[in-house]
């Protein structure tokens, strides 16, 4: 069964030799996009399930109040 996570052009890079190393700028760009998507997903979940989101915020607030520094 083929690995679905690997892009199709990755196979061509592997056949030609070593794949080009990822630069810091590319990594930061991918990370920023991931964090934007994550925040968007969290906001959507809060809009779709407001009661559950409120309960989660209350639980987090309780954890922070009872946390010992």
């Amino acid at each position: 069964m083929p690995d679905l996570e690997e892009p199709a052009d990755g196979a061509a890079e592997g056949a030609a030799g070593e794949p080009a190393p990822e630069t810091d700028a590319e990594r930061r760009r991918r990370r920023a996009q991931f964090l934007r998507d994550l925040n968007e997903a969290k906001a959507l979940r809060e809009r779709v399930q407001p009661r559950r989101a409120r309960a989660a915020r209350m639980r987090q607030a309780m954890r922070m109040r009872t946390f010992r520094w």
Side-chain angles (χ1 to χ4, degrees):
M1 189 159 122
D3 186 11
L4 299 177
E5 293 179 5
E6 186 175 331
D9 60 336
E13 279 184 12
E18 297 178 8
E22 184 179 38
T23 65
D24 285 344
E26 290 171 345
R27 186 183 63 78
R28 284 193 300 269
R29 191 171 18 258
R30 279 192 314 109
R31 183 173 185 274
Q33 180 64 44
F34 170 76
L35 292 175
R36 279 193 299 269
D37 291 345
L38 182 63
N39 286 333
E40 182 181 342
K42 285 180 179 179
L44 176 64
R45 187 174 14 184
E46 286 185 8
R47 284 195 307 272
V48 172
Q49 300 175 336
R51 184 179 299 167
R52 187 173 293 177
R54 181 175 186 270
R57 281 195 307 272
M58 298 298 267
R59 283 193 299 273
Q60 177 65 18
M62 183 61 73
R63 278 196 298 269
M64 294 308 289
R65 279 196 299 269
T66 58
F67 184 77
R68 300 269 179 158
W69 294 98

